Amino acid sequence: MALSDEFNSTYSPRKIGDNVLRIEYDYVKFYYDFQQRVMATAYRYNDSGGTTLTPFSQLDRDTLVEMRDTLVELGGKPKELPPEGPTLNKPARGLNP
């Protein structure tokens, strides 16, 4: 998955440590923590702000691979991502028997 050229030209990736990549875009900062396997989102807009944590299991795999590759390019040493899990199986019967 390739991110849009417009986004790629305006976001600022930065290595925070061997396992953390920060992506800054406008008033939002995304911290991809490959040790804890969470993405922290921090935003500040005018006088308000906040943070959220999202486990990697809820994020798009292609984006995680791209962010990990970016961290490695910047000199980080994150662990490999775990293998992709199986998709959920369809139920044998639908809702209407």
Side-chain angles (χ1 to χ4, degrees):
M1 176 189 109
L3 300 174
S4 72
D5 290 337
E6 180 182 349
F7 178 80
N8 286 335
S9 67
T10 57
Y11 83 104
S12 303
R14 182 174 176 196
K15 181 183 96 161
I16 301 301
D18 280 341
N19 292 296
V20 179
L21 175 70
R22 183 181 80 190
I23 302 292
E24 189 169 348
Y25 184 73
D26 288 336
Y27 56 87
V28 181
K29 295 178 184 174
F30 303 95
Y31 295 87
Y32 290 87
D33 185 335
F34 290 91
Q35 181 71 34
Q36 300 298 319
R37 304 222 185 273
V38 295
M39 179 188 71
T41 305
Y43 69 92
R44 167 128 344 264
Y45 190 75
N46 292 331
D47 291 334
S48 64
T51 59
T52 61
L53 287 178
T54 306
F56 277 10
S57 62
Q58 295 179 9
L59 298 175
D60 177 69
R61 173 114 178 140
D62 291 338
T63 300
L64 288 174
V65 168
E66 191 167 333
M67 294 303 124
R68 184 186 178 284
D69 290 348
T70 300
L71 181 57
V72 170
E73 288 173 11
L74 294 172
K77 297 175 180 77
K79 294 179 184 177
E80 289 290 329
L81 292 170
E84 207 166 353
T87 59
L88 296 176
N89 294 330
K90 289 185 177 180
R93 297 181 348 177
L95 295 176
N96 297 323

